[in-house]
Amino acid sequence: MSTSGRISIAILGLGGQGGGVLADWIVQLGANNGYVTQGTSVPGVAQRTGATVYYVEMIPRGGPATPLLALMPVPGDVDIVVASELMEAGRAILRGFVTDSTVLIGSTHRVYAIDEKSAMGDGRASGEKIIQAAQTRAGRYIGFDMDDAAERAGSVISSVMFGALCASGALPFARDAFEAAIVSGGKAVDANLRGFAAGFAAALCNPEAGIEAQHIPAASSAAGRELQSRIHSRLPHEAHYFAIEGVRRLMDYQDTAYADLYLTRLESLAGNADLIAEAARHLALWMSYEDTIRVADLKIRDTRFERVRADVKAADDQIVQLTEYMHPRLEEVCETLPAGLGRGILARPRLSALLGRFFTKGRHVETTSLRWFLTLSILASGRRWRRSTLRYQTEQARIEAWLDLVRSAEPDAALELVKCQRLIKGYGDTFERGLHNFTQIVERHRAGGLTASGIARLREAALADEKGDALQAALAG
């Protein structure tokens, strides 16, 4: 805060998170308590390709002249920064809004950016590094999962942020003045007051939260408990987290026998704990490959519809229509057929060309309509005959070849070969590109016996760009 009493507040948020509402509450708060207050905003783009910056500046009334307030935050001169998501706190730090005199209030939950989701490998930015930077750079940091607090309170994140701002003591106003600003807003007052109270309490109890470790729920079935016991008795401790999660994932994906196969494959790997822990993670990902059966299953789950309704804040009496864009290729359709039939179609160029005409364009699918819901339900029910499909047989052969290669490699090289599974993700063109890059690295290793560092170098090159230019240059070098 400056000697004149001026207070500057920057709010960084995503579209639809109520940053504008929060800014309005702060403007109303200042105006109600003897401050000349101004709020401005620079809209960004929703869906995580940009963020909106709201800026509020206030100064006590009564000066010799009407104050001239700024329209945008100035790096190095922001008293309070409020961020609606962890990466937005990181953006504020990078833009210079956070200094050793700044109070930084931010949610620790993540909303992943498009480039993080579409990266060739694991494109997620490091949340731990942002937490460390926040604790180091800011004069004071208050962080907790505000999205979770809002959900539990049946409110919205903007009210939770407002409560955390009040608890921080960074503004010279009493709690009842904050609550009065919410009441004067006149919208969803009861829910917003609940969110405010939740944010206030969480900020007082957890002033500098890190990212909490994820906890896997205890097995809920006899089969699950038996597999979990097997993990504890036969696998090293370092592998337990990913192995238990892998079993849970594969029982959900297919059945208990498939999860049993997963553990049998893990147990066949001789090596140190780090190798088996990495294999537990990557083997589960590969075995739960995304075929059309899996995609259909995920699209129609009750939990997904509930999540969408929660995201759009739909009331109980409101109807939500959900439309998807889907573009299955002929290859993916054939891979869902019994192996002999699918292989036979793909082996006949004329027949493939004829049938391929029906799959040249994508289509918009209204998942919430009866017609498409039933269609996807029938496709999802194909899980029971997945083992007979062409895709299942193809993927299991690829997985076994990969594991054989890992078993035969030197320990350091084996670890890097396990990590190469990162290249294989998604479905359609994304999957084909990743598999092509993976195959090139494996073939080079088989031909020339790459060292561990050589495998790692090629893998990172493959992850560098979608076109594969960096990998081709590394292979040629």
Side-chain angles (χ1 to χ4, degrees), residues 24 48 50 60 83 86 91 126 128 153 156 205 235 257 268 326 334 348 376 385 406 409 419 422 470:
D24 289 343
R48 289 315 316 267
L86 185 59
R91 289 176 187 260
S126 173
E128 289 80 2
V156 291
C205 296
L235 297 179
S268 72
M326 304 182 73
C334 289
R348 291 171 172 79
L376 293 174
W385 63 76
V406 170
K419 292 179 180 179
R422 292 178 57 198

Side-chain angles (χ1 to χ4, degrees), residues 86-165:
L86 185 59
M87 196 56 59
E88 296 309 320
R91 289 176 187 260
I93 294 170
L94 289 175
R95 296 179 70 169
F97 295 156
V98 178
T99 67
D100 58 7
S101 61
T102 302
V103 176
L104 173 58
I105 302 167
S107 180
T108 56
H109 82 284
R110 288 299 325 276
V111 178
Y112 293 111
I114 291 174
D115 56 354
E116 289 180 284
K117 294 178 181 179
S118 60
M120 294 295 291
D122 184 350
R124 295 175 298 174
S126 173
E128 289 80 2
K129 290 183 179 179
I130 296 175
I131 293 289
Q132 293 172 2
Q135 294 171 338
T136 303
R137 303 284 186 85
R140 187 152 63 96
Y141 169 58
I142 297 174
F144 59 93
D145 190 335
M146 299 181 187
D147 187 63
D148 178 67
E151 184 175 349
R152 285 187 282 107
S155 185
V156 291
I157 195 171
S158 54
S159 63
V160 175
M161 292 190 288
F162 199 44
L165 175 61

Side-chain angles (χ1 to χ4, degrees), residues 264-342:
T264 299
R265 284 170 166 169
L266 276 183
E267 292 164 1
S268 72
L269 294 176
N272 58 35
D274 290 340
L275 172 66
I276 297 176
E278 283 290 335
R281 173 189 177 191
H282 292 287
L283 178 59
L285 290 173
W286 199 339
M287 288 182 67
S288 57
Y289 58 89
E290 294 185 359
D291 57 6
T292 54
I293 298 171
R294 178 65 166 177
V295 172
D297 176 38
L298 295 176
K299 294 291 186 186
I300 60 171
R301 292 196 175 190
D302 290 343
T303 51
R304 181 169 186 264
F305 291 129
E306 291 169 1
R307 185 173 67 251
V308 171
R309 291 187 65 86
D311 287 345
V312 300
K313 309 298 181 186
D316 291 340
D317 60 347
Q318 290 181 309
I319 297 175
V320 175
Q321 292 182 318
L322 183 59
T323 302
E324 328 260 3
Y325 179 78
M326 304 182 73
H327 187 189
R329 303 174 305 166
L330 176 63
E331 291 83 355
E332 290 160 342
V333 173
C334 289
E335 287 172 344
T336 311
L337 299 174
L341 179 58

Side-chain angles (χ1 to χ4, degrees), residues 213-262:
Q214 294 181 333
H215 297 285
I216 298 176
S220 58
S221 66
R225 287 190 290 271
E226 182 178 344
L227 292 173
Q228 190 165 326
S229 175
R230 178 177 167 185
I231 289 169
H232 285 294
S233 63
R234 301 187 189 181
L235 297 179
H237 175 76
E238 291 83 352
H240 287 177
Y241 176 88
F242 286 121
I244 293 172
E245 174 62 19
V247 163
R248 184 202 64 79
R249 183 185 184 99
L250 295 173
M251 289 180 72
D252 175 74
Y253 179 85
Q254 187 61 37
D255 52 30
T256 302
Y258 199 49
D260 182 86
L261 173 61
Y262 164 72

Side-chain angles (χ1 to χ4, degrees), residues 6-7 22 27 50 65 79 103 108 114 136 149 160 182 213 216 219 267 282 308 312 330 373 405 444 458 462 466 469:
R6 177 184 64 87
I7 303 173
L22 176 58
V27 170
D79 299 308
V103 176
T108 56
I114 291 174
T136 303
V160 175
I182 293 177
I216 298 176
E267 292 164 1
H282 292 287
V308 171
V312 300
L330 176 63
F373 182 85
L405 192 65
R444 172 59 64 87
L458 293 179
E466 290 189 1
D469 295 338

Side-chain angles (χ1 to χ4, degrees), residues 42-61:
V42 176
V45 182
Q47 301 301 320
R48 289 315 316 267
T49 53
T52 298
V53 178
Y54 302 90
Y55 182 61
V56 178
E57 196 166 280
M58 59 178 70
I59 192 169
R61 291 195 189 99

